[in-house]
């Protein structure tokens, strides 16, 4: 009962934060905040939050991944409470739109659920004078497979079955392949309505990487940000896919766990070949992310994830959201705020917020390199 109450409280809190569109949070000063810092005074620290403002001031525009939206909501709110006079404006759109905005020089950083492609790095050199765009892993977590099926409270699927569902090859919920994985469940003779993202999305790409690696015989598409399979129904953003799944009986879709948590959407357990199906939880995602290797070079910290893991309790459908910045050549007017804000999000306080929000903290060994890189940004 305590766990259920905790989950309800968590869902209520996150639900209040999960608003769509652009997020513009403005810090409001208060005569009662005697311990709060002012961002423009060179580094006073909030006694309550221990956030180092380090000269941060003015507006910091950023945009991109909707996967990290709920984390950004929490981070921005806390950061601006500690650094008055600073406005973090994170527009939750998609990874693709974030990278475009970054390479056009209109944002201080971008959020992306997949690392920069070589051509995107080349493009970034026009904006990052003397440098280039790099990937800083900041948010980890499971990509939940959410479903809405009246009368079915627990559902297990594996990679081949998921691939066939999202490719339109399995059309009914009582299909023998689903029934085999769910012995004893009363599966209805109901059409499956699969929802996917309408815009370019790193979440889509990460799901594609999982399906391509774990079910190569059943998922023949390249892992791209654009949804590749025919059929299905499209919705905008993770919030849009989650809303459709919440409303439509017989539906299934994919989105970050925080969206399932905030809207009380049931999630699929994944059969990986281990001794038991694995639930989508931050802890189980962390077990998979902890095995990631850094594949980036220089200051780039792009990760190589293992989507085929069979380790006990490791949830395989994971993503890591990167904050994309210039290693050199960041805009002078926003650089102090970029470094201060990202130093907070990568710090102990910022990372501790992630688990309760349905995300997974970045493993300590990798995160230490992230902090070092943030300190070196110029």
């Amino acid at each position: 009962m305590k766990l259920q109450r905790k989950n309800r409280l968590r869902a209520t809190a996150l639900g209040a934060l999960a608003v769509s569109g652009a997020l513009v949070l403005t810090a409001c000063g208060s005569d009662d905040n005697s311990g709060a810092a002012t961002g423009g005074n060179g580094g006073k620290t909030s006694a309550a939050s221990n956030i180092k403002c380090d000269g941060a001031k003015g507006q910091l525009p950023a945009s991109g991944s909707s996967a990290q939206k709920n984390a950004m909501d929490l981070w921005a709110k806390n950061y601006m409470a500690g650094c008055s006079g600073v406005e973090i404006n994170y527009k939750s759109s998609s990874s693709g739109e974030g990278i475009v905005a970054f390479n056009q020089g209109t944002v201080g950083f971008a959020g992306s659920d997949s690392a920069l492609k070589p051509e995107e790095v080349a493009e970034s050199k026009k904006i990052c004078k003397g440098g280039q765009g790099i990937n800083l892993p900041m948010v980890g977590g499971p990509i939940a497979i959410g479903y809405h099926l009246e009368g079915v409270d627990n559902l297990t699927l594996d990679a081949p079955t998921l691939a066939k569902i999202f490719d339109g090859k399995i059309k009914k919920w009582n299909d023998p392949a689903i029934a085999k994985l769910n012995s004893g469940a009363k599966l209805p003779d109901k059409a499956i309505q699969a929802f996917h993202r309408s815009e370019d999305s790193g979440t889509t790409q990460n799901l594609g990487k999982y399906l391509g690696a774990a079910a190569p015989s059943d998922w023949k598409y390249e892992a791209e940000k654009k949804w590749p399979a025919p059929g299905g129904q499209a919705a905008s953003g993770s919030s849009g896919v989650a809303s459709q799944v919440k409303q439509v009986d017989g539906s299934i879709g994919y989105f970050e766990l925080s969206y399932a948590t905030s809207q009380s959407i049931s999630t699929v357990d994944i059969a990986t070949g281990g001794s038991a199906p694995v639930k989508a939880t931050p802890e189980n995602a962390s077990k998979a992310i902890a095995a990631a290797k850094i594949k980036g070079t220089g200051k780039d910290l792009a990760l190589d994830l293992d989507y085929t893991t069979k380790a006990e309790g490791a949830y395989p459908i994971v993503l890591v959201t990167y904050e994309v910045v210039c290693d050199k050549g960041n805009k002078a007017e926003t650089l102090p705020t970029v470094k201060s804000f990202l130093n907070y999000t990568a710090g102990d306080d910022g990372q501790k917020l992630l688990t309760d929000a349905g995300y997974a903290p970045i493993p300590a060994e990798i995160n230490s390199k992230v902090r070092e890189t943030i300190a070196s940004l110029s």
Side-chain angles (χ1 to χ4, degrees):
M1 293 297 293
K2 289 182 178 180
L3 180 60
Q4 292 176 346
R5 183 173 180 270
K6 181 180 179 182
N7 288 339
R8 285 197 299 272
L9 290 172
R10 181 187 302 171
T12 300
L14 288 171
L17 287 168
V19 294
S20 61
L23 167 69
V24 181
L25 296 174
T26 306
C28 300
S30 169
D31 293 336
D32 295 328
N33 292 339
S34 57
T38 56
N41 63 1
K44 284 186 180 180
T45 303
S46 166
S49 61
N50 202 35
I51 295 172
K52 294 182 179 180
C53 303
D54 289 332
K57 60 183 179 180
Q59 295 188 4
L60 175 59
S63 69
S65 165
S66 65
Q68 67 174 12
K69 178 190 179 302
N70 291 336
M72 275 291 166
D73 284 2
L74 291 168
W75 281 336
K77 178 182 178 181
N78 285 0
Y79 178 82
M80 291 188 298
C83 298
S84 65
V86 181
E87 182 180 288
I88 306 297
N89 181 348
Y90 183 80
K91 181 182 179 183
S92 171
S93 50
S94 68
S95 298
E97 291 176 64
I99 297 303
V100 169
F102 178 77
N103 280 339
Q104 290 176 342
T106 60
V107 295
F109 70 89
S112 177
D113 308 336
S114 55
L116 293 167
K117 295 179 180 179
E119 58 268 28
E120 292 170 336
V121 173
E123 185 71 15
S124 73
K125 294 179 180 179
K126 299 176 183 177
I127 297 299
C128 305
K129 303 301 182 183
Q132 65 180 46
I134 58 172
N135 304 282
L136 301 178
M138 197 69 68
V139 180
I143 299 175
I145 306 299
Y147 72 97
H148 180 173
L149 191 59
E150 296 294 337
V152 179
D153 297 325
N154 297 288
L155 185 68
T156 296
L157 297 173
D158 59 11
T161 307
L162 274 173
K164 292 172 186 174
I165 288 173
F166 282 115
D167 199 21
K169 302 294 176 57
I170 291 180
K171 302 180 183 297
K172 291 289 190 74
W173 279 109
N174 62 348
D175 187 276
I178 300 177
K180 184 178 179 180
L181 292 165
N182 295 274
S183 178
K186 295 182 179 180
L187 298 169
D189 183 17
K190 182 183 290 291
I192 296 173
Q193 298 192 55
F195 286 91
H196 58 263
R197 293 282 289 273
S198 60
E199 74 286 359
D200 287 2
S201 162
T203 311
T204 294
Q205 187 173 40
N206 279 277
L207 176 65
K209 288 178 180 178
Y210 164 72
L211 293 175
S217 298
D218 299 294
W219 191 258
K220 302 294 188 180
Y221 306 102
E222 291 294 324
E224 298 291 347
K225 292 179 181 178
K226 184 176 180 62
W227 182 255
Q233 300 181 59
S236 178
S238 291
S239 59
V241 175
S243 294
Q244 290 298 317
V245 172
K246 177 73 173 179
Q247 296 170 20
V248 179
D249 185 23
S251 62
I252 190 170
Y254 59 95
F255 33 80
E256 296 65 45
L257 181 61
S258 59
Y259 291 91
T261 303
S262 64
Q263 298 190 48
S264 300
I265 298 172
S266 297
T267 60
V268 171
D269 296 344
I270 302 298
T272 64
S275 63
V278 185
K279 294 185 178 299
T281 68
E283 295 79 10
N284 292 343
S286 289
K287 293 177 183 177
I289 295 172
K293 306 296 183 183
I294 294 175
K295 64 179 180 180
T297 58
K299 293 184 179 181
D300 185 80
L301 300 177
L303 301 179
D304 187 13
L305 300 168
D306 181 8
Y307 296 96
T308 62
T309 179
K310 293 180 175 60
E312 292 302 315
Y315 184 82
I317 318 177
V318 294
L319 62 75
V320 169
T321 292
Y322 302 96
E323 310 314 332
V324 177
V325 295
C326 298
D327 57 356
K328 298 178 182 178
N330 291 279
K331 291 182 179 179
E333 62 269 26
T334 55
L335 178 59
T337 309
V338 168
K339 293 178 70 171
S340 172
F341 179 64
L342 294 185
N343 192 53
Y344 162 65
T345 65
D348 291 339
D349 290 344
Q351 290 289 298
K352 283 176 182 176
L353 289 175
L354 293 179
T355 300
D356 282 345
Y359 297 101
I362 299 301
E365 182 179 351
I366 297 171
N367 195 43
S368 66
K369 294 183 173 65
V370 173
R371 296 188 203 186
E372 291 174 9
T373 304
I374 292 169
S376 72
L377 299 178
S378 62

